[in-house]
Amino acid sequence: MSILILKANTDIVTYEEAANAFKNMYESVTGNTIEIGDDDGKSDLIIIGSDSVNDFVMNEVVNLRIDSLGIRYGTDDYCVRSYNAGDRKALIFAGGRGRSTLYALYHYFEKYLNCHYFWDGDVICHSDTIPMDNILLKETPRFDYRGLRYFAHRGLKRFQAEHWSFEDWKQELDWMVKKRLNFFMLRIGMDDVWQRAFPDIVPYPEKFRTIEGVDANGFNDRSDFWTLKYRGQLRERVLAYARRLDLMYPTDCGTMTHWYSRTPIEFLDKKKPEFAHQDGKRYCESDTGRVWDYMKKENMDNYMHLTDTMVEEYEKSTELFHTIGLGERTMYHDSQKNTAVKLIAYRRIAENIRKRYPSSKLMLASWDFISWWKPEDVQKLVKELDPERTIILDYTSEINEPNPCFENWGVVGKFPWIFGLFHAFESESELRGPYDHSDKRLKIAATDEFCKGMIFWPELSHSDPIVLEYLAENSWSPLKKTVEEITAEFCKNRYGNKYKHMNECWQKLLPFIKLGDWSGSCYKKEDNGDYVKLGGGWYAHKDIWTNLTYFLANREYGNVVDHLLYKLSLTKPLMQDIVSVLKNLSMLGNDLNDQFLMRDSVDMTRTILGRFMNYLIVLAISEKYSEGKEEADKIIRIEELKKWYMYLMDMMGDLLSVNDDFSIYETLLHIQSVSETNPNFETTLKRNIYNNYCTQPAYEMVSCIFKEEGDIAFDWLCYGPSDGTKPDFTDPMTMVDETFMKTPLKDMKPEKTPALFEIISKVANAIEDLQKVICK
């Protein structure tokens, strides 16, 4: 008997997407075609939608042929249910709303037909038929908001959402639905909103904007790569597709000036807005980054006009709004006054949103709370917020510090809030995650009825496949599985007949992966059970080797050395397992050419290499400033550490050359293939990825910068003064930087790329031999 997809009787487009999604999945799995249409009275039926949108199901319910579907209508609940419609088989995909109908069909193909979904592709297994008997699948999520944020940094296409085409975004949003996520946030700049909001004041550039002066440094260089008009059109298309999938997304509102949403010069020249007083000078290098005085009605009206324009032109939704308030800014050094003016900012933003969009909810981002507010300041803010209209959007739950976290904000058991993971700054693309620590705090969230969601808020995307699985699993059903179980399932679903081999590698590496985090301070557990703070800081959780001379020249290493030496002490007992992982990966040979195996093996290996390069750096620093040793002996030791450091760096270069994920040039080629591209953007792209905040592993950086930098830095560690004098690397690094900026990216491509299994085997031998060096 033939099978027919019975579409829903509604103009809600998500159900059309669901019918098409089932058709695509069915045809991919079986190799057979299937039609979408009205009931022909003879075919077996795939029924899309519940009785609220599908007349066939409604009539079956009315005539008592089926009973309740067991879902809460309007929610993300869903049910997949088989039954006999007379002499025909029928399979109902019923969601409480459009997106959960999509969840239902993707879950069906996952559970019954062994299909699985990843950000970088799907695993589709073949079957001649699909099961239509004895199917009953019902699901209800724990959290109402489940999703992630995409941020405005630039660099490598894999990690930076600003570089994605519409096709990339479509794949990403489809993946979100397949993983039962329902919320995402675009923080990738404001595109052409200024031109749309103030057309008489801010014109479109003739071609591309080029940022000059102080704003052209590092990540601040927001020179266009695509035209503003194309960017605006792309944003419209992405959000229109998100609406088709019934996904939620908030609109930025309020005092939104930041480094990625600067005020155009034309607006400043014409409007001359007064600026808010700001004692701390962060983002005040130029007037484009300064917050307007929101206590002035005209300024607040203009901010809200930008918000209104974003709603009208892009978002087309007034359900959710989001604000950072006065994020990362110290308005007054006087703590009480600083708190007072920040509270006023939130009050005015909330009042304007309430007035314009009375049925909306306002999300308050928590980033400011962990470093710029005291817990009692946050408590004061929470007490005056409307719990019916406001949600605290936390994304700092992994932080080690006990005070600046949601446990002390007065929200648990009292006020709506969202549990969030930050995981990584833009430069931190290695595998990491303090999962045991996260689990402890997630346990609080899971049992608190006021916790409404789980959000992942990194500064880069796709850096770590395990944390994406952790998010998807725990945002739907928290703590039902350990991270080890989540990882085992990930391997089984992703690697086919290599899953046992890869699961052994991942499980052995997980304890090492867990030693990496972004959480700031490090705590050492003493024999009596007490914890002693070892300090921390920005460089305690990033790849020092990508910013080595800056790190040394700015004397950032005081607490970092103790922090990383402690992490090294925890790594030493794991080294045999680490070597075993590398040897097992290398044994896969040419199978590593498989997309999934290649990407994940490179990620695992570069994480190991990067961590050990960091360890060699802090060992050299510790040696340089050690007491009671002859200077000649120190030099011998540091020279030995340098030899190993440069050897590992060579292998890192080979490793990154294997995969286009880590090529700046391939990112540039991708950008150029999508739309007309600024011919000068190569310079901006280099600035965006190479600076003391954003630098991350890339092949071109290793070959042109990091090797030279390693020579310069270790020579100073060997022969520079150890009396506390800051080193000055200006002259030699200026030459390195200028060479990198002048050399075309296409000329940096490797002449020959080694086989991945050979590189990993070489790394395995190096780490095995390195044990004797680091254990001296």
Side-chain angles (χ1 to χ4, degrees):
M1 186 175 286
S2 63
I3 305 176
L4 176 71
I5 300 174
L6 189 60
K7 61 184 179 181
N9 308 95
T10 177
D11 59 359
I12 299 173
V13 294
T14 313
Y15 292 94
E16 179 185 343
E17 289 290 333
N20 288 327
F22 190 95
K23 175 180 172 64
N24 292 336
M25 290 296 297
Y26 176 89
E27 292 178 352
S28 295
V29 167
T30 66
N32 301 319
T33 60
I34 188 170
E35 297 301 319
I36 302 171
D38 299 318
D39 184 17
D40 60 6
K42 57 184 181 181
S43 298
D44 289 341
L45 296 174
I46 302 298
I47 305 169
I48 303 297
S50 72
D51 53 315
S52 68
V53 294
N54 192 299
D55 291 349
F56 184 93
V57 182
M58 176 186 68
N59 289 328
E60 294 291 86
V61 172
V62 168
N63 291 302
L64 305 181
R65 286 191 282 271
I66 59 175
D67 56 9
S68 170
L69 295 170
I71 59 174
R72 297 170 300 162
Y73 291 79
T75 75
D76 282 354
D77 290 6
Y78 61 86
C79 168
V80 183
R81 174 177 175 177
S82 63
Y83 81 106
N84 291 325
D87 60 352
R88 298 186 292 167
K89 295 178 181 180
L91 195 56
I92 302 174
F93 292 87
R97 57 185 299 157
R99 63 176 172 252
S100 49
T101 305
L102 283 162
Y103 299 160
L105 69 92
Y106 284 124
H107 194 175
Y108 165 81
F109 279 98
E110 185 167 36
K111 182 177 178 65
Y112 296 103
L113 289 151
N114 204 29
C115 296
H116 305 288
Y117 320 111
F118 305 97
W119 73 266
D120 53 349
D122 296 338
V123 173
I124 304 296
C125 293
H126 179 78
S127 175
D128 292 333
T129 60
I130 64 168
M132 295 186 68
D133 296 305
N134 302 313
I135 306 292
L136 182 59
L137 181 62
K138 291 183 181 180
E139 289 280 342
T140 297
R142 161 61 184 89
F143 293 125
D144 296 335
Y145 300 94
R146 309 175 305 280
L148 61 171
R149 188 266 311 249
Y150 299 91
F151 203 45
H153 285 295
R154 298 166 174 178
L156 297 171
K157 182 228 174 184
R158 166 181 164 181
F159 304 114
Q160 273 74 50
E162 232 194 304
H163 299 318
W164 297 349
S165 66
F166 176 71
E167 288 70 28
D168 295 323
W169 273 111
K170 190 173 182 295
Q171 177 175 313
E172 184 76 5
L173 297 180
D174 285 340
W175 166 79
M176 286 184 63
V177 172
K178 292 170 184 177
K179 303 302 281 190
R180 302 185 297 188
L181 304 173
N182 65 4
F183 173 96
F184 75 105
M185 182 185 299
L186 288 182
R187 307 264 310 153
I188 58 173
M190 296 166 68
D191 301 318
D192 62 346
V193 67
W194 291 94
Q195 286 75 15
R196 299 187 188 209
F198 302 102
D200 297 334
I201 299 173
V202 185
Y204 282 96
E206 289 186 14
K207 236 2 174 178
F208 304 98
R209 291 175 308 172
T210 298
I211 308 301
E212 298 176 346
V214 67
D215 293 340
N217 295 322
F219 59 85
N220 283 314
D221 184 352
R222 301 293 292 172
S223 296
D224 296 333
F225 51 92
W226 296 321
T227 66
L228 275 181
K229 281 193 175 180
Y230 175 78
R231 288 272 308 222
Q233 292 163 359
L234 177 61
R235 190 184 191 102
E236 286 184 73
R237 291 184 70 192
V238 169
L239 294 180
Y241 188 66
R243 289 192 295 277
R244 288 189 68 88
L245 299 180
D246 193 21
L247 293 172
M248 294 184 286
Y249 49 86
T251 301
D252 278 326
C253 68
T255 47
M256 59 184 74
T257 311
H258 216 62
W259 65 263
Y260 48 85
S261 52
R262 292 179 175 274
T263 308
I265 294 293
E266 297 92 338
F267 184 90
L268 294 174
D269 290 344
K270 180 72 173 179
K271 286 287 191 177
K272 295 181 170 53
E274 295 181 55
F275 299 116
H277 179 90
Q278 188 176 332
D279 283 343
K281 298 306 178 185
R282 192 167 195 164
Y283 307 121
C284 291
E285 298 89 349
S286 74
D287 288 348
T288 61
R290 297 184 67 182
V291 172
W292 317 333
D293 186 353
Y294 51 90
M295 298 185 195
K296 306 289 185 184
K297 185 178 184 302
E298 180 184 4
N299 287 334
M300 201 64 203
D301 285 347
N302 284 331
Y303 269 133
M304 293 311 301
H305 181 54
L306 287 169
T307 299
D308 296 339
T309 303
M310 292 173 76
V311 169
E312 294 163 6
E313 297 282 332
Y314 308 132
E315 274 82 350
K316 315 289 186 184
S317 170
T318 61
E319 182 179 2
L320 293 171
F321 290 84
H322 162 268
T323 183
I324 59 172
L326 297 168
E328 300 188 338
R329 299 177 191 265
T330 300
M331 311 313 287
Y332 288 91
H333 291 312
D334 180 283
S335 179
Q336 284 186 307
K337 191 163 186 177
N338 187 58
T339 300
V341 299
K342 287 198 169 190
L343 288 172
I344 290 171
Y346 280 119
R347 291 170 192 149
R348 294 214 159 192
I349 294 167
E351 178 62 25
N352 275 276
I353 292 297
R354 280 194 295 265
K355 181 174 70 174
R356 283 171 164 79
Y357 308 105
S359 62
S360 67
K361 289 184 183 286
L362 178 61
M363 293 178 160
L364 306 187
S366 72
W367 184 254
D368 216 32
F369 298 167
I370 64 167
S371 294
W372 287 266
W373 292 57
K374 297 176 182 177
E376 53 268 29
D377 296 333
V378 184
Q379 293 167 17
K380 187 175 181 180
L381 170 64
V382 169
K383 285 177 182 177
E384 63 183 47
L385 295 172
D386 176 6
E388 298 298 320
R389 300 284 310 281
T390 320
I391 305 173
I392 300 296
L393 176 54
D394 179 40
Y395 48 100
T396 59
S397 298
E398 306 121 306
I399 194 166
N400 276 324
E401 301 286 354
N403 289 323
C405 83
F406 67 80
E407 293 176 86
N408 294 298
W409 291 342
V411 295
V412 177
K414 298 176 182 178
F415 193 88
W417 64 288
I418 288 174
F419 177 92
L421 306 175
F422 183 76
H423 197 67
F425 286 99
E426 198 267 351
S427 59
E428 298 170 348
S429 65
E430 63 164 22
L431 304 174
R432 52 174 54 215
Y435 293 107
D436 299 334
H437 185 61
S438 301
D439 283 351
K440 290 178 183 177
R441 290 207 171 127
L442 181 56
K443 186 175 182 180
I444 299 171
T447 56
D448 180 16
E449 63 179 8
F450 282 87
C451 186
K452 304 300 182 182
M454 181 174 178
I455 303 295
F456 183 43
W457 186 302
E459 283 193 352
L460 72 171
S461 302
H462 307 155
S463 64
D464 188 333
I466 300 302
V467 78
L468 294 176
E469 298 297 313
Y470 182 84
L471 167 72
E473 175 67 31
N474 283 295
S475 64
W476 188 271
S477 184
L479 299 178
K480 294 294 172 58
K481 299 175 184 174
T482 66
V483 70
E484 288 77 14
E485 291 169 331
I486 291 170
T487 301
E489 194 167 290
F490 166 81
C491 293
K492 185 176 181 181
N493 296 341
R494 186 168 170 89
Y495 300 123
N497 61 9
K498 297 293 186 295
Y499 86 87
K500 290 183 179 179
H501 190 100
M502 288 300 290
N503 184 50
E504 182 181 351
C505 293
W506 276 106
Q507 297 296 342
K508 283 186 176 181
L509 198 61
L510 266 176
F512 180 67
I513 288 172
K514 289 180 182 181
L515 295 180
D517 57 48
W518 74 277
S519 310
S521 298
C522 179
Y523 292 81
K524 178 181 179 182
K525 190 174 184 179
E526 299 288 88
D527 293 338
N528 63 3
D530 293 338
Y531 283 85
V532 176
K533 184 175 180 179
L534 296 178
W538 162 243
Y539 279 91
H541 48 80
K542 70 171 293 184
D543 285 325
I544 302 175
W545 61 272
T546 65
N547 267 132
L548 182 51
T549 54
Y550 181 88
F551 171 71
L552 294 173
N554 287 275
R555 295 300 301 273
E556 297 275 358
Y557 48 84
N559 293 327
V560 175
V561 172
D562 288 342
H563 184 121
L564 289 179
L565 288 177
Y566 174 60
K567 290 292 179 72
L568 173 57
S569 73
L570 300 178
T571 299
K572 288 176 182 178
L574 306 175
M575 287 190 68
Q576 285 302 319
D577 280 344
I578 293 169
V579 171
S580 174
V581 167
L582 292 166
K583 288 183 175 180
N584 285 340
L585 289 176
S586 69
M587 287 171 58
L588 290 170
N590 288 324
D591 287 337
L592 290 174
N593 293 328
D594 169 82
Q595 172 189 323
F596 293 153
L597 290 171
M598 172 183 283
R599 176 167 283 127
D600 298 347
S601 296
V602 169
D603 283 350
M604 296 163 88
T605 306
R606 71 187 176 88
T607 296
I608 294 166
L609 277 173
R611 295 265 187 95
F612 277 94
M613 284 195 284
N614 284 346
Y615 293 153
L616 290 169
I617 291 166
V618 296
L619 284 170
I621 294 170
S622 180
E623 183 71 22
K624 181 177 184 65
Y625 293 104
S626 62
E627 297 180 357
K629 290 187 71 172
E630 294 292 331
E631 202 66 26
D633 293 335
K634 290 183 182 182
I635 291 173
I636 291 171
R637 172 65 169 162
I638 296 172
E639 286 280 13
E640 180 186 32
L641 296 171
K642 176 187 176 180
K643 181 190 72 173
W644 277 100
Y645 179 85
M646 299 305 290
Y647 185 49
L648 296 190
M649 183 70 78
D650 283 338
M651 286 184 282
M652 179 67 83
D654 287 344
L655 182 71
L656 299 183
S657 72
V658 169
N659 191 333
D660 288 348
D661 285 353
F662 301 97
S663 170
I664 309 171
Y665 183 56
E666 291 299 328
T667 290
L668 181 63
L669 291 178
H670 160 77
I671 290 169
Q672 292 170 343
S673 73
V674 172
S675 183
E676 183 183 6
T677 302
N678 185 342
N680 298 317
F681 184 67
E682 180 169 334
T683 296
T684 294
L685 183 57
K686 288 177 177 178
R687 288 174 179 163
N688 290 162
I689 194 173
Y690 178 40
N691 57 75
N692 59 44
Y693 187 86
C694 302
T695 305
Q696 60 186 213
Y699 168 76
E700 295 89 348
M701 308 284 284
V702 173
S703 62
C704 294
I705 295 173
F706 300 150
K707 290 181 181 179
E708 298 287 342
E709 189 174 29
D711 262 331
I712 294 166
F714 270 89
D715 282 350
W716 178 83
L717 286 169
C718 277
Y719 305 110
S722 55
D723 58 1
T725 304
K726 285 187 177 182
D728 184 356
F729 300 116
T730 304
D731 289 343
M733 283 308 298
T734 295
M735 294 177 63
V736 172
D737 297 350
E738 288 178 352
T739 299
F740 174 68
M741 295 303 295
K742 290 177 181 178
T743 306
L745 288 169
K746 66 178 181 180
D747 293 344
M748 301 180 194
K749 290 191 69 173
E751 294 182 5
K752 184 179 179 182
T753 299
L756 179 55
F757 72 89
E758 293 174 348
I759 300 168
I760 297 176
S761 177
K762 192 174 178 181
V763 175
N765 294 333
I767 299 300
E768 188 168 39
D769 292 342
L770 192 57
Q771 293 182 81
K772 301 171 185 176
V773 177
I774 66 173
C775 292
K776 282 187 179 180

